[in-house]
Amino acid sequence: MKVFLDNCRTTRVLPEVVGEVEKYMLEKFARPDGLYESAQEIYDELTEARKFFAKTINANSDEEIIFTSGATEANNLALIGVARANKKRGNHIVVSALEHGSVMSIVDALKKEGFEVTVVPVDHEGMLRLEEFEKALRPTTILVSVIAVGHFVGSIMPLKQIGEILSRQDHKIYFHTDAAEMYAKMPLDVQDLKLDLVSVSGHKFHGPKGVGFLYVRKGTKIEPIMYGAESFDKRRPGGENVPAIMGMKKAAELAFEQMEESYRRLRELQDYFIGRIESEIEHVVLNGPRGEKRTPYNVNFSFSFIEGEAISLGLSLEGVEVATGSACASESLEPNYAILAIGGDHERAHGSIRFTFSRFTTKEELDYTVEKLKKVVQWLRNISPLKAER
Amino acid sequence: MRVYLDHAATTRVFDEVAQEMVKLFTQFYGNASSLHSHGQEAKKLYEEARTKIAKHLNVEPEEIYFTSGGTESDNIAIRGFLKANFPNGGHIITTQIEHPAVLEVAKQLEREGYSVTYLKPTSDGYVTPDDFRRAIRKDTVLASIMWVNNETGVIQPIEEISKIAREHGIVLHSDAVQAVGKIKIDARLVDMLSASGHKFYAPKGCGFLYVSKRVKVEPIMYGGGHERGLRSGTENVPGAYAMALALEIIEKNYEVWSGKVKRFKEKILSAIENIPAHHVNGSNTIFSHINVSFKNVLGETLATALDMNGISVSTASACSSHHGTARSHVLEAMQLEDWMIDGAIRISLGYDNSENEIEYFVEVLSKEVDRLRKMS
Amino acid sequence: MLKYTELVLDHFKNPRNLGRIENPDAEATEGSIACGDMMTVYLKIEDNRIVDIKFESYGCAANIATASMMTEVVKGLTLEEAKKITWKDIVERLGGLPPVKYHCSNLAIDTLRKAISAYEESLVGK
């Protein structure tokens, strides 16, 4: 049996989505800016797609949706574009300690352009410390970026409270969120959350890779990061990736249809999975929050006395694919910062395994995983010089 | 009958390429940066694609970087190069006939303090090596000259310009979006080269950038450090694989296909010869392009008329048509007469056109030009 | 990202000389949990020859595989011969390792040498 539990990194593309992509590669392949009928059709369909996506997040207008090549580009456009455009007003940016690597890389680069960055800590459950967040805001703060759902430990950030805090400030601070792990999995209402910018990634909800979008609230002062022919939007030049966009739309349609039901079903599976691991394997620690504060799509445990890359490779040889926060598994040989940010030590990071579900994950797959996990953990603990007496 | 003659705007993905992509979407969907076998398989295919594309261009695999398309490649090449080597200013040479992806970058650079010389083309549509040489200054740091012009199809004298650039130690970038997949390119002639997948029967949303080992370029986007730090973002394995496969297919069939297209072009040109008061815009053009104007017939009107007959062509540049009838900056730069500029349509042939289609087109073209002239 | 050879995967799945030795002639531990890389090596020595060697490992697949290969290589060697084995030898025997994993092989050799030194020091004064 093969079990894919690394859906936070990427998901398989659904046949219906593949069908859409194929259709737009082989039949309806015209560019929307052509002067002929088939081009006009594409133009209209793209506009419909924008309207659709706008509706999914309760945006006011389809013009607020910019298609990009993925969430990384969306994050770059949002952060760099807004930072540079508002430089005269201020140079301070606030992010959380659990941002996705791409956001951290971007703000690091912005530091070189003269921006100051404050990283607000999270608590041991991975929730943003709201008091410290509010204290971190300055008259020169122009932008805040907080991930919607932590991708490593699964914490659902208090976006609503953040939005409220920001609306109480006496100057405009743009509010961005990387919603890759929230979009199409739980409700996201940009009016309710008072968001100005939202990054979404197509391949996280069974859409194709290489496509995503950025929501930009009308009136947001933002600069482009690339220049060229104005496709639909001066802010993002270049030919639109129509097949991928239409594929992403189909994937989103299917995901939203099942969103509520999946949330409930996966919550049950999550409780079951966590329950089995905690009762059947010793010396384990759940990383991240329990219950409603946690996305039902994510489980993350640290296994004492053994190392994550070995665990994940061992599982992989048994057909189960997961992720690990161990330093050994990263190119940089640094332990996953998310574990450190929630107060875990290096050892806890090294022994961490992240299991991320898709809405198609079954109880059978999880039972299989637990069996293999027990086997691998037992075997590695036998070889380990570290024992429970410690 | 529907006849698609706008291949310079975009192409239909090869059936075989689409099939392979479907396989990749559904089977090898692993994230190429992850440890497990799904990811490793994906990574293998991705690197294979890189190697194949490098071979096609006669360069090393590590000199090929995958991007989301031609526009992004142009941006990384020009802005990334300047950021890494000349962040405080300098002189850049480009042309008046570049694609907006290069022109808009150049304009932005001027706003940031760089000085830019835009070489004027001859009325035949190319920039001359002599003009290039004359434009070189002590502070010239970069040149960006397209390989083939997208509107006219005129092949620019890259070989000679390359020699001059090398003589003066100037880094040369070329937007080869309209050349890749159509003519044999030895990328060694330049230091950086941009390409876009959907112009050579690969899908939209993918492209690549060649950067010579000798040249340092910084990223314009940040993230997970993919593509050796130059272009972050989850690897688009299907796109990369598709591009490599499309080029492979083209190479395999090149003789037959290019011969076919050349014949079609000749057929169309003969037919045009029989229509009075016409002007073919540009000389030394690539076999896929015919940019032609008919006196007293507006290009847009003709294009619409052709569309009503099921034929798709373009006018001005596809890219400027969102904003109403923009005049072609390329034809204006060539300083053609007004009727040539306003009457221009661009016919761009592809490997998937057939004899029937061309015959039909030729018939309709003559008919429509005639009809429209009678109306004007 | 990390491509392991068939041999590395084999040593990972079926490590040789795993476990402890009762009353070892030498024992050494190197590395730390904080680093995510740790190893303990046990030696049984007769007439200056390593007649038995066992190991325990906390670490990634490369860590386990290099330890396993190292024990296979040095078992039966004299102490002098064993001291000459380098981390490169281990990597070569495994058919290569991703460069980012070379340090695991280093750890295996370091632990071995520490055990040998401990043994030699214990002899002084006997």
Side-chain angles (χ1 to χ4, degrees), chain B residues 258-276:
Chain B
S258 60
K260 182 177 78 160
V261 175
K262 283 183 185 130
R263 268 190 304 113
F264 293 164
K265 178 169 176 174
E266 266 150 47
K267 205 178 187 121
I268 297 173
L269 285 174
S270 312
I272 288 175
E273 280 304 309
N274 291 329
I275 303 175

mmCIF file with all atom_site columns, all heavy atoms in Angstrom, chain B residues 258-276:
data_model
loop_
_atom_site.group_PDB
_atom_site.id
_atom_site.type_symbol
_atom_site.label_atom_id
_atom_site.label_alt_id
_atom_site.label_comp_id
_atom_site.label_asym_id
_atom_site.label_entity_id
_atom_site.label_seq_id
_atom_site.pdbx_PDB_ins_code
_atom_site.Cartn_x
_atom_site.Cartn_y
_atom_site.Cartn_z
_atom_site.occupancy
_atom_site.B_iso_or_equiv
_atom_site.pdbx_formal_charge
_atom_site.auth_seq_id
_atom_site.auth_comp_id
_atom_site.auth_asym_id
_atom_site.auth_atom_id
_atom_site.pdbx_PDB_model_num
ATOM 1   N N   . SER B 1 258 ? 9.960  22.216 -41.067 1.00 0.00 ? 258 SER B N   1
ATOM 2   C CA  . SER B 1 258 ? 10.381 23.561 -41.471 1.00 0.00 ? 258 SER B CA  1
ATOM 3   C C   . SER B 1 258 ? 10.242 23.693 -42.989 1.00 0.00 ? 258 SER B C   1
ATOM 4   O O   . SER B 1 258 ? 9.873  24.754 -43.500 1.00 0.00 ? 258 SER B O   1
ATOM 5   C CB  . SER B 1 258 ? 11.811 23.851 -41.023 1.00 0.00 ? 258 SER B CB  1
ATOM 6   O OG  . SER B 1 258 ? 12.707 22.925 -41.602 1.00 0.00 ? 258 SER B OG  1
ATOM 7   N N   . GLY B 1 259 ? 10.504 22.582 -43.692 1.00 0.00 ? 259 GLY B N   1
ATOM 8   C CA  . GLY B 1 259 ? 10.324 22.610 -45.143 1.00 0.00 ? 259 GLY B CA  1
ATOM 9   C C   . GLY B 1 259 ? 8.885  22.912 -45.494 1.00 0.00 ? 259 GLY B C   1
ATOM 10  O O   . GLY B 1 259 ? 8.596  23.744 -46.376 1.00 0.00 ? 259 GLY B O   1
ATOM 11  N N   . LYS B 1 260 ? 7.996  22.272 -44.800 1.00 0.00 ? 260 LYS B N   1
ATOM 12  C CA  . LYS B 1 260 ? 6.565  22.463 -45.029 1.00 0.00 ? 260 LYS B CA  1
ATOM 13  C C   . LYS B 1 260 ? 6.171  23.929 -44.802 1.00 0.00 ? 260 LYS B C   1
ATOM 14  O O   . LYS B 1 260 ? 5.530  24.568 -45.645 1.00 0.00 ? 260 LYS B O   1
ATOM 15  C CB  . LYS B 1 260 ? 5.801  21.530 -44.089 1.00 0.00 ? 260 LYS B CB  1
ATOM 16  C CG  . LYS B 1 260 ? 4.305  21.552 -44.229 1.00 0.00 ? 260 LYS B CG  1
ATOM 17  C CD  . LYS B 1 260 ? 3.641  20.547 -43.295 1.00 0.00 ? 260 LYS B CD  1
ATOM 18  C CE  . LYS B 1 260 ? 3.583  21.071 -41.864 1.00 0.00 ? 260 LYS B CE  1
ATOM 19  N NZ  . LYS B 1 260 ? 2.547  20.356 -41.060 1.00 0.00 ? 260 LYS B NZ  1
ATOM 20  N N   . VAL B 1 261 ? 6.580  24.438 -43.671 1.00 0.00 ? 261 VAL B N   1
ATOM 21  C CA  . VAL B 1 261 ? 6.205  25.814 -43.331 1.00 0.00 ? 261 VAL B CA  1
ATOM 22  C C   . VAL B 1 261 ? 6.796  26.801 -44.334 1.00 0.00 ? 261 VAL B C   1
ATOM 23  O O   . VAL B 1 261 ? 6.145  27.771 -44.730 1.00 0.00 ? 261 VAL B O   1
ATOM 24  C CB  . VAL B 1 261 ? 6.638  26.159 -41.892 1.00 0.00 ? 261 VAL B CB  1
ATOM 25  C CG1 . VAL B 1 261 ? 6.350  27.612 -41.582 1.00 0.00 ? 261 VAL B CG1 1
ATOM 26  C CG2 . VAL B 1 261 ? 5.914  25.266 -40.892 1.00 0.00 ? 261 VAL B CG2 1
ATOM 27  N N   . LYS B 1 262 ? 8.033  26.538 -44.760 1.00 0.00 ? 262 LYS B N   1
ATOM 28  C CA  . LYS B 1 262 ? 8.649  27.433 -45.743 1.00 0.00 ? 262 LYS B CA  1
ATOM 29  C C   . LYS B 1 262 ? 7.832  27.451 -47.025 1.00 0.00 ? 262 LYS B C   1
ATOM 30  O O   . LYS B 1 262 ? 7.609  28.513 -47.632 1.00 0.00 ? 262 LYS B O   1
ATOM 31  C CB  . LYS B 1 262 ? 10.091 26.992 -46.047 1.00 0.00 ? 262 LYS B CB  1
ATOM 32  C CG  . LYS B 1 262 ? 11.057 27.367 -44.958 1.00 0.00 ? 262 LYS B CG  1
ATOM 33  C CD  . LYS B 1 262 ? 12.524 26.999 -45.294 1.00 0.00 ? 262 LYS B CD  1
ATOM 34  C CE  . LYS B 1 262 ? 13.404 27.294 -44.087 1.00 0.00 ? 262 LYS B CE  1
ATOM 35  N NZ  . LYS B 1 262 ? 14.271 26.179 -43.696 1.00 0.00 ? 262 LYS B NZ  1
ATOM 36  N N   . ARG B 1 263 ? 7.374  26.283 -47.429 1.00 0.00 ? 263 ARG B N   1
ATOM 37  C CA  . ARG B 1 263 ? 6.548  26.213 -48.645 1.00 0.00 ? 263 ARG B CA  1
ATOM 38  C C   . ARG B 1 263 ? 5.266  27.011 -48.469 1.00 0.00 ? 263 ARG B C   1
ATOM 39  O O   . ARG B 1 263 ? 4.842  27.758 -49.354 1.00 0.00 ? 263 ARG B O   1
ATOM 40  C CB  . ARG B 1 263 ? 6.182  24.752 -48.951 1.00 0.00 ? 263 ARG B CB  1
ATOM 41  C CG  . ARG B 1 263 ? 7.149  24.058 -49.891 1.00 0.00 ? 263 ARG B CG  1
ATOM 42  C CD  . ARG B 1 263 ? 6.645  22.712 -50.358 1.00 0.00 ? 263 ARG B CD  1
ATOM 43  N NE  . ARG B 1 263 ? 6.327  21.785 -49.300 1.00 0.00 ? 263 ARG B NE  1
ATOM 44  C CZ  . ARG B 1 263 ? 5.093  21.357 -49.021 1.00 0.00 ? 263 ARG B CZ  1
ATOM 45  N NH1 . ARG B 1 263 ? 4.075  21.794 -49.747 1.00 0.00 ? 263 ARG B NH1 1
ATOM 46  N NH2 . ARG B 1 263 ? 4.882  20.503 -48.043 1.00 0.00 ? 263 ARG B NH2 1
ATOM 47  N N   . PHE B 1 264 ? 4.638  26.848 -47.318 1.00 0.00 ? 264 PHE B N   1
ATOM 48  C CA  . PHE B 1 264 ? 3.406  27.576 -47.035 1.00 0.00 ? 264 PHE B CA  1
ATOM 49  C C   . PHE B 1 264 ? 3.655  29.074 -47.114 1.00 0.00 ? 264 PHE B C   1
ATOM 50  O O   . PHE B 1 264 ? 2.865  29.832 -47.693 1.00 0.00 ? 264 PHE B O   1
ATOM 51  C CB  . PHE B 1 264 ? 2.857  27.220 -45.649 1.00 0.00 ? 264 PHE B CB  1
ATOM 52  C CG  . PHE B 1 264 ? 2.367  25.803 -45.517 1.00 0.00 ? 264 PHE B CG  1
ATOM 53  C CD1 . PHE B 1 264 ? 2.155  25.258 -44.273 1.00 0.00 ? 264 PHE B CD1 1
ATOM 54  C CD2 . PHE B 1 264 ? 2.110  25.025 -46.639 1.00 0.00 ? 264 PHE B CD2 1
ATOM 55  C CE1 . PHE B 1 264 ? 1.691  23.952 -44.127 1.00 0.00 ? 264 PHE B CE1 1
ATOM 56  C CE2 . PHE B 1 264 ? 1.660  23.732 -46.511 1.00 0.00 ? 264 PHE B CE2 1
ATOM 57  C CZ  . PHE B 1 264 ? 1.444  23.184 -45.251 1.00 0.00 ? 264 PHE B CZ  1
ATOM 58  N N   . LYS B 1 265 ? 4.768  29.488 -46.548 1.00 0.00 ? 265 LYS B N   1
ATOM 59  C CA  . LYS B 1 265 ? 5.063  30.922 -46.552 1.00 0.00 ? 265 LYS B CA  1
ATOM 60  C C   . LYS B 1 265 ? 5.215  31.407 -47.987 1.00 0.00 ? 265 LYS B C   1
ATOM 61  O O   . LYS B 1 265 ? 4.678  32.455 -48.364 1.00 0.00 ? 265 LYS B O   1
ATOM 62  C CB  . LYS B 1 265 ? 6.332  31.202 -45.757 1.00 0.00 ? 265 LYS B CB  1
ATOM 63  C CG  . LYS B 1 265 ? 6.732  32.670 -45.766 1.00 0.00 ? 265 LYS B CG  1
ATOM 64  C CD  . LYS B 1 265 ? 7.829  32.960 -44.746 1.00 0.00 ? 265 LYS B CD  1
ATOM 65  C CE  . LYS B 1 265 ? 8.272  34.413 -44.837 1.00 0.00 ? 265 LYS B CE  1
ATOM 66  N NZ  . LYS B 1 265 ? 9.224  34.788 -43.792 1.00 0.00 ? 265 LYS B NZ  1
ATOM 67  N N   . GLU B 1 266 ? 5.936  30.632 -48.787 1.00 0.00 ? 266 GLU B N   1
ATOM 68  C CA  . GLU B 1 266 ? 6.113  31.035 -50.186 1.00 0.00 ? 266 GLU B CA  1
ATOM 69  C C   . GLU B 1 266 ? 4.773  31.139 -50.894 1.00 0.00 ? 266 GLU B C   1
ATOM 70  O O   . GLU B 1 266 ? 4.544  32.060 -51.671 1.00 0.00 ? 266 GLU B O   1
ATOM 71  C CB  . GLU B 1 266 ? 6.998  30.036 -50.920 1.00 0.00 ? 266 GLU B CB  1
ATOM 72  C CG  . GLU B 1 266 ? 8.466  30.428 -50.931 1.00 0.00 ? 266 GLU B CG  1
ATOM 73  C CD  . GLU B 1 266 ? 9.369  29.214 -50.969 1.00 0.00 ? 266 GLU B CD  1
ATOM 74  O OE1 . GLU B 1 266 ? 9.107  28.320 -51.793 1.00 0.00 ? 266 GLU B OE1 1
ATOM 75  O OE2 . GLU B 1 266 ? 10.326 29.156 -50.156 1.00 0.00 ? 266 GLU B OE2 1
ATOM 76  N N   . LYS B 1 267 ? 3.922  30.174 -50.624 1.00 0.00 ? 267 LYS B N   1
ATOM 77  C CA  . LYS B 1 267 ? 2.599  30.179 -51.249 1.00 0.00 ? 267 LYS B CA  1
ATOM 78  C C   . LYS B 1 267 ? 1.852  31.463 -50.895 1.00 0.00 ? 267 LYS B C   1
ATOM 79  O O   . LYS B 1 267 ? 1.256  32.120 -51.764 1.00 0.00 ? 267 LYS B O   1
ATOM 80  C CB  . LYS B 1 267 ? 1.823  28.967 -50.729 1.00 0.00 ? 267 LYS B CB  1
ATOM 81  C CG  . LYS B 1 267 ? 0.762  28.495 -51.657 1.00 0.00 ? 267 LYS B CG  1
ATOM 82  C CD  . LYS B 1 267 ? 0.057  27.248 -51.108 1.00 0.00 ? 267 LYS B CD  1
ATOM 83  C CE  . LYS B 1 267 ? -0.882 26.691 -52.149 1.00 0.00 ? 267 LYS B CE  1
ATOM 84  N NZ  . LYS B 1 267 ? -0.551 25.316 -52.516 1.00 0.00 ? 267 LYS B NZ  1
ATOM 85  N N   . ILE B 1 268 ? 1.896  31.809 -49.627 1.00 0.00 ? 268 ILE B N   1
ATOM 86  C CA  . ILE B 1 268 ? 1.187  33.009 -49.180 1.00 0.00 ? 268 ILE B CA  1
ATOM 87  C C   . ILE B 1 268 ? 1.813  34.246 -49.801 1.00 0.00 ? 268 ILE B C   1
ATOM 88  O O   . ILE B 1 268 ? 1.115  35.157 -50.265 1.00 0.00 ? 268 ILE B O   1
ATOM 89  C CB  . ILE B 1 268 ? 1.192  33.107 -47.645 1.00 0.00 ? 268 ILE B CB  1
ATOM 90  C CG1 . ILE B 1 268 ? 0.434  31.913 -47.046 1.00 0.00 ? 268 ILE B CG1 1
ATOM 91  C CG2 . ILE B 1 268 ? 0.567  34.411 -47.179 1.00 0.00 ? 268 ILE B CG2 1
ATOM 92  C CD1 . ILE B 1 268 ? 0.513  31.827 -45.534 1.00 0.00 ? 268 ILE B CD1 1
ATOM 93  N N   . LEU B 1 269 ? 3.151  34.268 -49.828 1.00 0.00 ? 269 LEU B N   1
ATOM 94  C CA  . LEU B 1 269 ? 3.819  35.433 -50.402 1.00 0.00 ? 269 LEU B CA  1
ATOM 95  C C   . LEU B 1 269 ? 3.473  35.588 -51.893 1.00 0.00 ? 269 LEU B C   1
ATOM 96  O O   . LEU B 1 269 ? 3.257  36.702 -52.374 1.00 0.00 ? 269 LEU B O   1
ATOM 97  C CB  . LEU B 1 269 ? 5.332  35.327 -50.218 1.00 0.00 ? 269 LEU B CB  1
ATOM 98  C CG  . LEU B 1 269 ? 5.850  35.608 -48.796 1.00 0.00 ? 269 LEU B CG  1
ATOM 99  C CD1 . LEU B 1 269 ? 7.345  35.332 -48.690 1.00 0.00 ? 269 LEU B CD1 1
ATOM 100 C CD2 . LEU B 1 269 ? 5.558  37.056 -48.393 1.00 0.00 ? 269 LEU B CD2 1
ATOM 101 N N   . SER B 1 270 ? 3.408  34.475 -52.597 1.00 0.00 ? 270 SER B N   1
ATOM 102 C CA  . SER B 1 270 ? 3.022  34.569 -54.012 1.00 0.00 ? 270 SER B CA  1
ATOM 103 C C   . SER B 1 270 ? 1.642  35.158 -54.133 1.00 0.00 ? 270 SER B C   1
ATOM 104 O O   . SER B 1 270 ? 1.393  36.023 -54.989 1.00 0.00 ? 270 SER B O   1
ATOM 105 C CB  . SER B 1 270 ? 2.996  33.212 -54.703 1.00 0.00 ? 270 SER B CB  1
ATOM 106 O OG  . SER B 1 270 ? 4.112  32.494 -54.448 1.00 0.00 ? 270 SER B OG  1
ATOM 107 N N   . ALA B 1 271 ? 0.743  34.692 -53.309 1.00 0.00 ? 271 ALA B N   1
ATOM 108 C CA  . ALA B 1 271 ? -0.617 35.202 -53.372 1.00 0.00 ? 271 ALA B CA  1
ATOM 109 C C   . ALA B 1 271 ? -0.633 36.690 -53.079 1.00 0.00 ? 271 ALA B C   1
ATOM 110 O O   . ALA B 1 271 ? -1.331 37.473 -53.742 1.00 0.00 ? 271 ALA B O   1
ATOM 111 C CB  . ALA B 1 271 ? -1.493 34.463 -52.382 1.00 0.00 ? 271 ALA B CB  1
ATOM 112 N N   . ILE B 1 272 ? 0.160  37.098 -52.116 1.00 0.00 ? 272 ILE B N   1
ATOM 113 C CA  . ILE B 1 272 ? 0.218  38.513 -51.757 1.00 0.00 ? 272 ILE B CA  1
ATOM 114 C C   . ILE B 1 272 ? 0.752  39.335 -52.921 1.00 0.00 ? 272 ILE B C   1
ATOM 115 O O   . ILE B 1 272 ? 0.290  40.451 -53.191 1.00 0.00 ? 272 ILE B O   1
ATOM 116 C CB  . ILE B 1 272 ? 1.091  38.708 -50.489 1.00 0.00 ? 272 ILE B CB  1
ATOM 117 C CG1 . ILE B 1 272 ? 0.350  38.175 -49.252 1.00 0.00 ? 272 ILE B CG1 1
ATOM 118 C CG2 . ILE B 1 272 ? 1.427  40.185 -50.292 1.00 0.00 ? 272 ILE B CG2 1
ATOM 119 C CD1 . ILE B 1 272 ? 1.163  38.210 -47.977 1.00 0.00 ? 272 ILE B CD1 1
ATOM 120 N N   . GLU B 1 273 ? 1.719  38.757 -53.624 1.00 0.00 ? 273 GLU B N   1
ATOM 121 C CA  . GLU B 1 273 ? 2.281  39.459 -54.778 1.00 0.00 ? 273 GLU B CA  1
ATOM 122 C C   . GLU B 1 273 ? 1.191  39.860 -55.759 1.00 0.00 ? 273 GLU B C   1
ATOM 123 O O   . GLU B 1 273 ? 1.279  40.889 -56.431 1.00 0.00 ? 273 GLU B O   1
ATOM 124 C CB  . GLU B 1 273 ? 3.293  38.563 -55.504 1.00 0.00 ? 273 GLU B CB  1
ATOM 125 C CG  . GLU B 1 273 ? 4.661  38.528 -54.857 1.00 0.00 ? 273 GLU B CG  1
ATOM 126 C CD  . GLU B 1 273 ? 5.259  39.907 -54.704 1.00 0.00 ? 273 GLU B CD  1
ATOM 127 O OE1 . GLU B 1 273 ? 5.295  40.664 -55.705 1.00 0.00 ? 273 GLU B OE1 1
ATOM 128 O OE2 . GLU B 1 273 ? 5.664  40.255 -53.579 1.00 0.00 ? 273 GLU B OE2 1
ATOM 129 N N   . ASN B 1 274 ? 0.153  39.011 -55.826 1.00 0.00 ? 274 ASN B N   1
ATOM 130 C CA  . ASN B 1 274 ? -0.917 39.291 -56.782 1.00 0.00 ? 274 ASN B CA  1
ATOM 131 C C   . ASN B 1 274 ? -1.921 40.301 -56.277 1.00 0.00 ? 274 ASN B C   1
ATOM 132 O O   . ASN B 1 274 ? -2.853 40.657 -56.999 1.00 0.00 ? 274 ASN B O   1
ATOM 133 C CB  . ASN B 1 274 ? -1.648 37.984 -57.140 1.00 0.00 ? 274 ASN B CB  1
ATOM 134 C CG  . ASN B 1 274 ? -0.755 37.079 -57.963 1.00 0.00 ? 274 ASN B CG  1
ATOM 135 O OD1 . ASN B 1 274 ? 0.083  37.552 -58.716 1.00 0.00 ? 274 ASN B OD1 1
ATOM 136 N ND2 . ASN B 1 274 ? -0.934 35.780 -57.809 1.00 0.00 ? 274 ASN B ND2 1
ATOM 137 N N   . ILE B 1 275 ? -1.768 40.743 -55.058 1.00 0.00 ? 275 ILE B N   1
ATOM 138 C CA  . ILE B 1 275 ? -2.684 41.761 -54.537 1.00 0.00 ? 275 ILE B CA  1
ATOM 139 C C   . ILE B 1 275 ? -1.985 43.099 -54.669 1.00 0.00 ? 275 ILE B C   1
ATOM 140 O O   . ILE B 1 275 ? -0.882 43.279 -54.119 1.00 0.00 ? 275 ILE B O   1
ATOM 141 C CB  . ILE B 1 275 ? -3.034 41.494 -53.054 1.00 0.00 ? 275 ILE B CB  1
ATOM 142 C CG1 . ILE B 1 275 ? -3.648 40.084 -52.894 1.00 0.00 ? 275 ILE B CG1 1
ATOM 143 C CG2 . ILE B 1 275 ? -3.996 42.550 -52.536 1.00 0.00 ? 275 ILE B CG2 1
ATOM 144 C CD1 . ILE B 1 275 ? -3.924 39.683 -51.464 1.00 0.00 ? 275 ILE B CD1 1
ATOM 145 N N   . PRO B 1 276 ? -2.606 44.033 -55.369 1.00 0.00 ? 276 PRO B N   1
ATOM 146 C CA  . PRO B 1 276 ? -1.942 45.321 -55.563 1.00 0.00 ? 276 PRO B CA  1
ATOM 147 C C   . PRO B 1 276 ? -1.806 46.109 -54.268 1.00 0.00 ? 276 PRO B C   1
ATOM 148 O O   . PRO B 1 276 ? -2.527 45.870 -53.295 1.00 0.00 ? 276 PRO B O   1
ATOM 149 C CB  . PRO B 1 276 ? -2.871 46.057 -56.551 1.00 0.00 ? 276 PRO B CB  1
ATOM 150 C CG  . PRO B 1 276 ? -4.163 45.334 -56.502 1.00 0.00 ? 276 PRO B CG  1
ATOM 151 C CD  . PRO B 1 276 ? -3.904 43.945 -56.048 1.00 0.00 ? 276 PRO B CD  1
#
